[in-house]
Amino acid sequence: MSQLEVNSIDKYNGNNLSVGSQLNLKSYTTPQRDALTSVAGDTIYNTTTSKLEYYTGSAWVQSGDTKVPVQYVIIAGGGSGGASPTGYGSPGGGGAGGYRSSYASENTGGGKSTELLAYVAKSTNYTVTIGAGGAAVASSTGAYYGGNKGTFSQFSSIYSDGGGAGGRLYSPATASNSGANRSGGSGGGGGTYNGANGPGGNGITGQGYSGGSGASYAQGYAGGGGGGASAAGTGSTSANGGAGGAGVTSSITGSGVARAGGGGGGSLSGSPGNGGTGGGGTGGASGAATGGTGTVNTGGGGGAGGGDSSTHGTSGAGGSGVVILRYPNTFSAALAGGATSSAGEQTTGSDKYIQIEATGTVTFS
């Protein structure tokens, strides 16, 4: 096969460039394409999709496709921590909301590779749902409660599941620490009481990690931390509450921001568990019974309630979710039906992005 290597080519006649035979662009499979070091304007033939594709500076787009290539981060609402009564054991922290991402080469939740872009039609209303964080719970004498699971977030047909609820005090006889609401996008932390160690809830593959276990110690009781998008919640140690799992740091808005951290576990007589990086609330402890609230629009899990011989534990609520969309700056997005964005549409390089914080619809033009 002949090979042409030149620094420049001038026009042949008028405004036309004449080539004596068909022009065959370099061919790559999708994995080979993604391994390239590309700059805006690079053009290839993709043998996986059988399409001509060009690079915008942040994403590969199929040439001639009238649809909008959208990269996304979709985070559900975080779960709230559990709560405990006076003088009893300690509950677990809330799990972070499920985290899904198709931006650049960043991981999605649970350590999985980035998802595929969403190609959406112009002039079409697409549903956007922003998940609410699980509501805080307050305990009372002799009664103990698990937290509440967060609710899902959605863009078009792509869903993230709400964070798992923090576990209440664990009783093997009744399996009171378990239940469907314990698992979620990331799992809630396990609770503990009187030598019964509650396991953490499970996370969803591709969305988040599991919560840590609670345990009893000679010094007292401590709950496990809620799972985060990039790490599992840790189990309690030496009567100290387990830390919430860390969230994922994304640059979809142009700078790195961590989101979807798990809530910290509570402690009866030790130190509370720290909230996971990315909006997780800190657990409560003796003398500071109220768990920290997950940060809004991060899907952070709420911290578990603490408690001591005279104080009832109150948990922290989970943080609300968020939907962030990024697309070439040749397109624009409009919100309707109650959807809002505090900063509105922003431009970064050759792309635009919009962070959506309330439920409604989005339309591209």
Side-chain angles (χ1 to χ4, degrees):
M1 178 182 291
S2 60
Q3 184 172 348
L4 174 65
E5 296 182 0
V6 297
N7 290 324
S8 63
I9 299 176
D10 202 358
K11 61 186 179 181
Y12 172 70
N13 183 22
N15 290 324
N16 299 316
L17 174 65
S18 178
V19 179
S21 185
Q22 66 270 24
L23 180 63
N24 194 328
L25 294 176
K26 178 68 175 178
S27 297
Y28 297 91
T29 63
T30 296
Q32 290 171 334
R33 177 204 69 184
D34 293 343
L36 297 174
T37 301
S38 303
V39 297
D42 285 355
T43 305
I44 66 161
Y45 180 75
N46 189 325
T47 57
T48 302
T49 61
S50 299
K51 297 285 187 179
L52 190 68
E53 297 182 350
Y54 65 92
Y55 191 64
T56 66
S58 62
W60 286 96
V61 178
Q62 294 177 358
S63 180
D65 196 334
T66 59
K67 291 187 177 181
V68 184
V70 178
Q71 299 174 93
Y72 56 79
V73 166
I74 303 171
I75 308 174
S80 63
S84 63
T86 302
Y88 283 78
S90 292
Y99 185 106
R100 298 185 64 176
S101 172
S102 68
Y103 176 65
S105 58
E106 297 176 353
N107 281 350
T108 192
K112 297 298 182 181
S113 299
T114 183
E115 300 182 356
L116 298 175
L117 275 67
Y119 285 87
V120 301
K122 294 190 292 185
S123 304
T124 301
N125 291 334
Y126 289 93
T127 298
V128 176
T129 302
I130 306 302
V137 291
S139 188
S140 60
T141 302
Y144 43 88
Y145 304 96
N148 291 299
K149 183 176 179 179
T151 60
F152 71 87
S153 287
Q154 168 192 7
F155 165 59
S156 184
S157 60
I158 307 165
Y159 291 80
S160 292
D161 196 31
R168 64 182 185 176
L169 314 188
Y170 187 63
S171 168
T174 61
S176 63
N177 188 66
S178 61
N181 67 335
R182 295 289 325 295
S183 298
S186 288
T192 182
Y193 174 60
N194 199 25
N197 304 329
N202 296 321
I204 294 176
T205 300
Q207 297 195 28
Y209 285 88
S210 60
S213 298
S216 299
Y217 304 89
Q219 307 96 314
Y221 311 114
S230 72
T234 60
S236 60
T237 57
S238 302
N240 297 321
V248 171
T249 297
S250 174
S251 298
I252 191 169
T253 58
S255 59
V257 178
R259 303 176 181 88
S267 174
L268 179 65
S269 57
S271 299
N274 292 324
T277 303
T282 298
S286 177
T290 301
T293 300
T295 304
V296 298
N297 298 136
T298 69
D308 55 27
S309 60
S310 60
T311 308
H312 305 303
T314 301
S315 75
S320 57
V322 70
V323 171
I324 305 172
L325 308 177
R326 181 162 171 157
Y327 38 92
N329 61 16
T330 52
F331 300 99
S332 294
L335 305 181
T340 59
S341 173
S342 57
E345 194 174 53
Q346 302 290 310
T347 298
T348 176
S350 58
D351 288 341
K352 293 178 181 177
Y353 72 87
I354 189 166
Q355 177 171 305
I356 306 174
E357 298 140 1
T359 297
T361 62
V362 60
T363 304
F364 293 92
S365 59

